């Protein structure tokens, strides 16, 4: 059995969790999130300086609460984990410094976790978690990627967005429609009563220099522009926008593109298991269409539990436990934070000397 306290402050959610592993299964003893969404909504997006300040205010109480709720003291922990990359530098610092200080004070190891490795590990918190090899569709506010995870745990990126991430497209289109921030949940709600076939929108294929298309890559900037043109045209013709139909048509085309390219990638690579994680994986239409179409093609699908799709600390704890299970892991206490760091170099976070 291993026990970790995990902290996450890479963007606009302050989060803490205590996660344990028993006989190869992860169990969340307590997980708390303090969202700053309402504060950032006033500005239409995340304001980094406000985010850092709110993390400093919120994190100590969250740590106390999750330790209380799980009945665990810091001295009993096998490690303290915190997200150290990628994300907003000032925001990352809060969990990183808090985690390192707790670890140093109590003589526990510190594990600096890669945020995307956390999203990938969120699927281990599902009732039935898959065994590699499988293909992961990671869809968040900052990333849209298809990643093959091998039996050894090695990861290889097979597809990516060439411009906006899917979540970013949701956020930008929501702003265009005047639906507020964050865009994903706002669009999902308005789209419920809409007609997803009313507007025909582009699927954003990415050309290859030698001709043809990248079969597993994405582009959402053309879709965003098409939404803008449609809205401008409608505004010129009528006073009130058909918001529900616009939101539903947008959500439908994003779901179509993600489902079709992910399944094609899985089948082409002989992978019969697909995993979906990240904030956009919370989307109801995407969840149901991915499940239905994967089933129809005999591909098994596991989607991260709804509570662990958007940013949370339990997934950071799950990633730390997976590292602990594989090797003796202890990041340097000197490890800083990095706003950018590729997922395929996540292992370097555990090297001596540290990479940053
Ligand atoms: O994973 P996440 O919490 O943070 C990042 O690491 O980026 O993802 C946040 C993104 C935002 O862009 C948000 O609009 C989107 O996930 N999102 C959704 C939904 N809930 C959150 N997108 C579509 N449908 C949702 N229900
Ligand atoms: Zn995230």
């Amino acid at each position: 059995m291993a026990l970790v306290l995990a902290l996450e402050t890479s963007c606009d959610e302050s989060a803490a969790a205590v996660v344990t592993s028993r006989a190869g299964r992860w169990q969340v003893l307590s997980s708390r999130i303090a969202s700053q969404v309402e504060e950032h909504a006033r500005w239409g997006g995340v304001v980094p300086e406000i985010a850092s300040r709110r993390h400093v205010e919120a994190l100590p109480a969250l740590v106390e609460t999750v330790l209380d709720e799980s009945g665990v003291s810091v001295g009993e922990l096998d490690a303290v984990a915190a997200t150290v990359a990628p994300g907003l530098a000032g925001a990352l610092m809060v969990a990183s410094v808090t985690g390192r200080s707790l670890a140093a004070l109590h003589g526990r190891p510190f594990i600096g976790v890669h945020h995307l490795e956390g999203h990938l590990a969120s699927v281990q918190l599902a009732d039935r978690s898959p065994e590699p090899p499988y293909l992961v569709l990671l869809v968040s506010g900052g990333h849209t990627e298809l990643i093959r995870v091998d039996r050894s745990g090695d990861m290889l990126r097979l597809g990516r967005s060439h411009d906006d991430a899917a979540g970013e497209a949701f956020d930008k289109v929501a702003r265009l429609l005047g639906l507020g921030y964050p865009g994903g949940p706002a669009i999902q709600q308005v789209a419920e009563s809409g007609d997803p076939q009313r507007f025909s929108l582009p699927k954003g294929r990415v050309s290859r220099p030698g001709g043809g298309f990248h079969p597993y890559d994405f582009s959402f900037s053309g879709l965003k522009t098409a939404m803008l043109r449609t809205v401008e045209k409608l505004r010129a013709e009528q006073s009130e926008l058909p918001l529900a139909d616009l939101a539903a048509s947008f959500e439908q085309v994003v779901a179509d593109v993600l489902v079709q390219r992910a399944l094609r990638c899985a089948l082409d690579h002989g992978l019969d298991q697909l995993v979906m994680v990240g904030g956009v994986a919370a989307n109801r239409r995407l969840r149901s269409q991915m499940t239905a179409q994967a089933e129809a093609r005999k591909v098994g699908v596991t989607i991260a539990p709804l509570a662990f799709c958007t940013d949370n600390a339990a997934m950071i704890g799950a990633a730390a436990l997976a590292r602990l299970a594989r090797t003796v892991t202890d990041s340097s206490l000197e490890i800083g934070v990095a706003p950018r760091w590729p997922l395929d170099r996540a292992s370097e976070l555990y090297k001596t000397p540290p990479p940053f």
Side-chain angles (χ1 to χ4, degrees):
M1 184 183 134
L3 195 59
V4 299
L5 166 70
L7 312 176
E8 153 68 42
T9 60
S10 67
C11 190
D12 58 351
E13 321 272 13
S14 323
V18 176
V19 187
T20 178
S21 68
R22 274 201 196 97
R25 297 279 314 148
W26 300 170
Q27 195 190 342
V28 181
L29 298 185
S30 172
S31 173
R32 290 274 170 171
I33 300 171
S35 180
Q36 312 171 353
V37 156
E38 276 175 25
E39 197 147 353
H40 297 291
R42 287 172 47 208
W43 310 99
V46 179
V47 183
E49 170 62 21
I50 295 179
S52 313
R53 270 188 294 175
R54 293 293 168 262
H55 289 316
V56 171
E57 288 164 7
L59 198 60
L62 289 173
V63 170
E64 228 168 79
T65 306
V66 297
L67 289 172
D68 257 14
E69 283 181 345
S70 52
V72 167
S73 64
V74 181
E76 294 172 73
L77 296 167
D78 291 285
V80 179
T83 308
V84 294
L88 302 168
L92 284 165
M93 289 284 245
V94 180
S96 172
V97 170
T98 307
R100 278 181 286 172
S101 308
L102 277 171
L105 274 171
H106 296 267
R108 311 316 305 154
F110 173 70
I111 304 186
V113 176
H114 192 287
H115 182 76
L116 298 185
E117 192 171 321
H119 274 300
L120 260 63
S122 67
V123 75
Q124 305 301 333
L125 303 171
D127 288 340
R128 196 187 51 80
S129 54
E131 285 291 320
Y134 50 69
L135 182 72
V136 183
L137 170 62
L138 164 67
V139 266
S140 70
H143 296 83
T144 301
E145 299 190 356
L146 286 164
I147 301 159
R148 189 180 77 197
V149 179
D150 292 329
R151 206 160 278 133
S152 61
D154 286 349
M155 295 176 263
L156 181 69
R157 190 171 73 179
L158 299 172
R160 67 184 171 98
S161 172
H162 285 244
D163 39 60
D164 292 348
E168 208 176 343
F170 268 96
D171 294 335
K172 287 179 177 169
V173 167
R175 199 177 315 160
L176 169 72
L177 300 178
L179 295 176
Y181 174 86
I187 287 189
Q188 171 169 299
Q189 198 186 356
V190 173
E192 247 166 53
S193 58
D195 172 5
Q197 311 300 337
R198 166 127 178 232
F199 298 100
S200 146
L201 296 161
K203 291 196 170 167
R205 304 234 273 163
V206 179
S207 303
R208 270 191 171 134
F213 298 97
H214 284 288
Y216 320 126
D217 283 0
F218 306 91
S219 164
F220 293 105
S221 67
L223 171 59
K224 198 179 57 193
T225 311
M227 286 296 291
L228 175 66
R229 297 280 168 268
T230 309
V231 165
E232 282 172 349
K233 192 159 163 274
L234 287 165
R235 280 218 175 101
E237 288 164 2
Q238 60 199 71
S239 55
E240 214 168 302
L241 286 178
L243 283 181
D245 293 348
L246 282 164
S249 301
F250 167 77
E251 198 181 48
Q252 180 60 47
V253 77
V254 174
D256 267 351
V257 164
L258 293 173
V259 170
Q260 286 166 7
R261 284 178 210 165
L263 282 175
R264 168 143 189 221
C265 184
L267 293 168
D268 286 356
H269 289 83
L271 296 165
D272 61 2
Q273 290 192 90
L274 200 129
V275 160
M276 187 162 74
V277 299
V280 182
N283 186 266
R284 219 175 291 136
R285 192 184 301 267
L286 176 60
R287 291 173 86 92
S288 74
Q289 296 191 1
M290 183 63 93
T291 306
Q293 296 196 34
E295 235 165 60
R297 287 180 219 177
K298 307 253 179 309
V299 174
V301 57
T302 314
I303 307 177
L306 207 50
F308 303 125
C309 283
T310 44
D311 289 348
N312 65 87
M315 68 183 193
I316 303 303
L321 285 170
R323 287 275 173 188
L324 275 175
R326 256 181 271 151
T327 51
V328 179
T329 304
D330 192 356
S331 306
S332 162
L333 283 177
E334 282 163 39
I335 198 168
V337 298
R340 289 167 171 270
W341 194 259
L343 178 60
D344 56 10
R345 290 178 58 197
S347 295
E348 291 175 37
L349 302 186
Y350 308 100
K351 289 209 168 125
T352 314
F356 50 78

